[in-house]
């Protein structure tokens, strides 16, 4: 390489101003190893501030003076010198001095510029706290240290809050899990005393559980429902009837009794309200397996069940409801249980005399087919008025359609004028005064209660004027009754699909 040709290293050396003790170092080596070109503390305080440049005259603006650069090295040096201008002129280096500076910079950079702070601490392990105060004024170092403390305190607070939140969330989850998995209250047993528990028709498991709790038989409905669902029985339904239980029973024991677990097999029987005798006998035969002809023969012998032998049959005495029988029960035992249920209800309502009881049972069967439950007592009073000897409105005739169709062995309330005038039908209350020969179905408890205890009124007529709502209007005279009938006809004209 030509010694006269500048190398990059020599150009950098030529662009570097001479360093004196008074001037201090023009740059310092950073901890990363890079060098910062602009003046830094503490040398800035020793260097004189640059003077403001003189304003150019109009002549200067018109004819700028450009100093020629003899070599590219001089131009480069001039560009470097503009980064940090000073009031002092840069010293010129000769060729030998330039070579010496370049070699010294190459072999030992600190030989020229002096040791840097980073070199003095190069062998020490890095300390972040020490680095905050390194080469900084005391005020700045204190501010940096304080900021570091605040950051550390903030991090500690955030970690603490997060930890507390996680612990609280965990505790809440454990608490809720404990509530969900808490076993319901239950008695340990074995039970106290004896009690007859009655399950009414239409009760579901929740209602049965509530009644068991109210009577002190089980401790909680939840325990009973769990025992019911886990009982060793294919049948999970509690049927209406009477059950011998004890108070303070474990829920499992109560559920087993109600489901018949561990007891003899039973047959379940359901008799609907207003069911006629033939339909009731068929239901019994199907539920128990007893032959239907055997049941039909017994049904025509009312004296077998303690009833008056003058009755044609036991129609009306097969009390509606649901029953359980041992599978080996006889036909007579099954029928006797149903007849006894009806007689007990009549006696409880106040009809203990056999004749009064049979009369009330017949009226109750008419109520069951003629009126709504809410109107039973009022209609019963009107029937009593029609049965009075001094009745001038109907002449002692009941004139009820439900009895006529019973004699026709039909369930629809429609019949012809010829059928209405047919005296051969003993149940035709348009032709025969007084009550029909027998009850016309099996009345429920509400109908029996109303028949035994009718409402005292002056009505002779009643008609339902709104099928949808069941609104019934009563009248004391036939003329008033005809107006009510016209209202019913108008309703049917407006609702042809409802009235049929």
């Amino acid at each position: 390489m030509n010694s006269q040709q500048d190398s990059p290293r020599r150009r950098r050396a030529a662009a570097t101003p001479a360093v004196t003790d008074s001037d201090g170092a023009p740059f310092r080596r950073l901890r990363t190893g890079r060098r910062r070109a602009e003046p830094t503390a503490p040398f800035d305080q020793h260097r004189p501030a640059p003077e403001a440049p003189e304003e150019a005259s109009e002549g200067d603006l018109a004819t700028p003076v450009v100093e020629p650069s003899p070599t590219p090295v001089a131009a480069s040096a001039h560009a470097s010198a503009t980064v940090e201008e000073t009031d002092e002129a840069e010293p010129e280096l000769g060729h030998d001095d330039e070579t010496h500076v370049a070699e010294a910079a190459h072999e030992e950079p600190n030989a020229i510029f002096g040791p840097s702070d980073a070199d003095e601490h190069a062998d020490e392990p890095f300390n972040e706290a020490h680095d905050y105060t390194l080469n900084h004024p005391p005020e700045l170092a204190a501010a940096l240290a304080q900021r570091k403390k605040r950051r550390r305190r903030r991090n500690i607070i955030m970690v603490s809050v997060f930890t507390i939140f996680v612990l609280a969330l965990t505790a809440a989850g454990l608490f809720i899990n404990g509530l969900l998995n808490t076993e319901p209250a239950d008695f340990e047993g074995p039970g106290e005393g004896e009690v007859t528990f009655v399950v009414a028709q239409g009760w579901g498991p929740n209602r049965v559980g509530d009644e068991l709790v109210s009577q002190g038989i089980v401790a909680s409905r939840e325990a009973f429902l769990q025992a019911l669902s886990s009982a060793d029985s294919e049948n999970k339904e509690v049927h209406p009837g009477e059950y011998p239980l004890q108070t303070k029973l474990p829920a499992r024991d109560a559920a087993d009794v109600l489901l018949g677990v561990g007891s003899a097999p039973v047959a379940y029987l359901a008799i609907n309200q207003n069911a006629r005798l033939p339909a009731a006998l068929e239901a019994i035969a199907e539920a128990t397996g007893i032959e239907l002809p055997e049941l039909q023969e017994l049904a025509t012998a009312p004296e077998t069940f303690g009833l008056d032998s003058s009755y044609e049959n036991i129609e009306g005495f097969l009390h509606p409801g649901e029953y359980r029988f041992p599978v080996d029960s006889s036909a007579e035992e099954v029928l006797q249980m149903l007849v006894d249920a009806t007689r007990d209800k009549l006696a409880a309502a106040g009809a203990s005399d056999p004749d009064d009881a049979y009369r009330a049972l017949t009226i109750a069967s008419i109520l069951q087919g003629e009126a709504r439950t809410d109107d039973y007592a009022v209609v019963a009073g009107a029937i009593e008025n029609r049965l009075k000897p001094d009745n001038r409105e109907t002449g002692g005739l009941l004139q009820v359609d439900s009895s006529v169709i019973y004699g026709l062995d039909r369930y629809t309330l429609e019949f012809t004028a010829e059928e209405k005038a047919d005296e051969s039908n003993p149940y035709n209350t348009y032709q025969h005064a007084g009550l029909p020969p027998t009850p016309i179905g099996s009345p429920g408890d509400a109908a029996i209660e109303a028949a035994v205890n009718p409402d005292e009124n002056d009505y002779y007529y009643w008609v339902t004027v709104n099928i949808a709502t069941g609104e019934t209007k009563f009248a004391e005279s036939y003329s008033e009754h005809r107006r009510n009938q016209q209202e019913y006809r108008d309703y049917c004209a407006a609702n042809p699909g409802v009235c049929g």
Side-chain angles (χ1 to χ4, degrees):
M1 177 182 296
N2 190 349
S3 61
Q4 298 298 326
Q5 185 178 0
D6 292 336
S7 65
R9 182 180 297 171
R10 290 181 177 177
R11 288 197 299 269
R12 286 196 299 271
T16 304
V19 180
T20 63
D21 293 340
S22 60
D23 292 338
F27 61 85
R28 67 181 178 90
R29 185 183 302 274
L30 301 179
R31 186 160 58 88
T32 57
R34 300 177 60 184
R35 290 183 296 178
R36 187 172 177 177
E38 65 270 16
T40 59
F43 306 108
D44 295 343
Q45 58 186 351
H46 301 295
R47 301 181 63 86
E51 295 181 357
E54 296 181 358
E55 297 182 1
S57 62
E58 295 180 358
D60 295 334
L61 293 175
T63 309
V65 178
V66 179
E67 296 181 4
S69 176
T71 62
V73 175
S76 176
H78 178 70
S80 300
T82 59
V83 176
E84 34 180 319
E85 296 180 357
T86 62
D87 295 337
E88 300 177 3
E90 296 183 7
E92 298 181 359
L93 298 178
H95 177 71
D96 295 337
D97 295 335
E98 195 175 76
T99 303
H100 175 71
V101 170
E103 292 176 354
H106 176 72
E107 296 176 0
E108 191 64 42
N110 290 340
I112 300 176
F113 304 109
S116 67
D117 294 335
D119 295 333
E120 292 179 3
H121 300 280
D123 297 331
E124 298 181 8
F126 174 69
N127 187 311
E128 188 176 358
H130 175 73
D131 185 63
Y132 273 117
T133 60
L134 186 63
N135 294 328
H136 289 303
E139 295 81 359
L140 180 58
L144 294 175
Q146 186 66 24
R147 184 174 63 180
K148 182 176 181 297
K149 291 180 180 179
R150 288 196 301 269
R151 184 183 297 112
R152 183 183 297 111
R153 184 164 55 250
R154 183 174 63 251
N155 292 340
I156 293 174
I157 293 175
M158 291 177 62
V159 172
S160 301
V161 170
F162 179 75
T163 303
I164 294 173
F165 173 76
V166 171
L167 293 176
L169 190 62
T170 303
L174 293 175
F175 177 74
I176 295 175
N177 184 65
L179 290 179
L180 295 177
N181 295 326
T182 301
E183 291 294 329
D186 197 3
F187 292 128
E188 294 182 1
E192 300 177 359
E194 294 182 359
V195 61
T196 299
F197 182 70
V198 179
V199 178
Q201 186 175 3
W203 284 8
N206 290 331
R207 177 65 184 276
V208 173
D210 290 338
E211 293 294 331
L212 289 170
V213 173
S214 66
Q215 298 184 31
I217 298 174
V218 299
S220 66
R221 182 181 70 175
E222 291 73 17
F224 170 72
L225 294 177
Q226 289 185 6
L228 196 67
S229 62
S230 61
D232 187 16
S233 173
E234 294 183 359
N235 171 49
K236 304 294 184 180
E237 181 180 357
V238 179
H239 295 274
E242 297 181 355
Y243 299 85
L245 294 173
Q246 293 179 293
T247 59
K248 297 185 178 180
L249 271 179
R252 181 60 180 270
D253 294 348
D256 288 347
V257 173
L258 295 177
L259 295 177
V261 176
S263 59
V266 295
Y268 297 94
L269 169 65
I271 302 295
N272 297 325
Q273 293 184 0
N274 203 32
R276 296 175 183 175
L277 181 61
L281 295 178
E282 291 176 0
I284 294 172
E286 183 179 355
T288 62
I290 299 174
E291 295 295 332
L292 181 59
E294 182 181 359
L295 293 170
Q296 291 172 339
E297 182 179 357
L298 285 171
T300 59
E303 65 277 3
T304 305
F305 308 102
L307 302 175
D308 195 319
S309 59
S310 64
Y311 302 161
E312 289 188 19
N313 50 42
I314 60 174
E315 177 70 276
F317 280 97
L318 300 183
H319 193 64
E322 297 187 19
Y323 304 88
R324 298 183 305 159
F325 302 97
V327 293
D328 57 352
S329 297
S330 65
E332 185 175 341
E333 290 174 340
V334 172
L335 294 177
Q336 186 69 62
M337 179 177 288
L338 273 64
V339 170
D340 290 344
T342 299
R343 296 174 68 180
D344 292 343
K345 182 59 185 178
L346 286 166
S352 55
D353 180 77
D355 292 340
D356 292 342
Y358 195 65
R359 181 179 185 276
L361 186 63
T362 304
I363 294 176
S365 67
I366 295 174
L367 294 176
Q368 193 76 58
E370 283 283 329
R372 297 187 312 157
T373 303
D374 295 342
D375 298 327
Y376 281 166
V378 181
V379 175
I383 290 176
E384 291 290 349
N385 293 336
R386 289 188 180 187
L387 293 174
K388 290 179 180 180
D390 59 349
N391 169 19
R392 295 184 178 182
E393 289 292 333
T394 64
L397 296 174
L398 286 182
Q399 298 179 346
V400 290
D401 296 346
S402 57
S403 179
V404 176
I405 63 174
Y406 179 87
L408 295 173
D409 194 22
R410 293 205 299 258
Y411 285 91
T412 177
L413 291 175
E414 297 179 356
F415 47 87
T416 64
E418 292 77 10
E419 291 171 334
K420 184 176 181 179
D422 183 11
E423 295 182 359
S424 65
N425 180 359
Y427 291 88
N428 186 347
T429 54
Y430 287 93
Q431 301 299 324
H432 302 285
L435 292 171
T438 67
I440 59 175
S442 297
D445 293 347
I448 292 176
E449 182 68 30
V452 177
N453 302 285
D455 179 46
E456 293 185 5
N457 55 60
D458 297 327
Y459 298 132
Y460 287 91
Y461 307 95
W462 64 91
V463 61
T464 300
V465 297
N466 190 312
I467 303 298
T469 64
E471 180 185 1
T472 301
K473 288 192 174 183
F474 299 87
E476 298 179 6
S477 63
Y478 185 63
S479 59
E480 184 182 0
H481 179 58
R482 291 187 64 182
R483 289 194 296 271
N484 294 337
Q485 286 181 320
Q486 185 59 47
E487 184 176 345
Y488 170 71
R489 294 188 187 97
D490 294 341
Y491 172 83
C492 290
N495 302 275
V498 176
C499 298

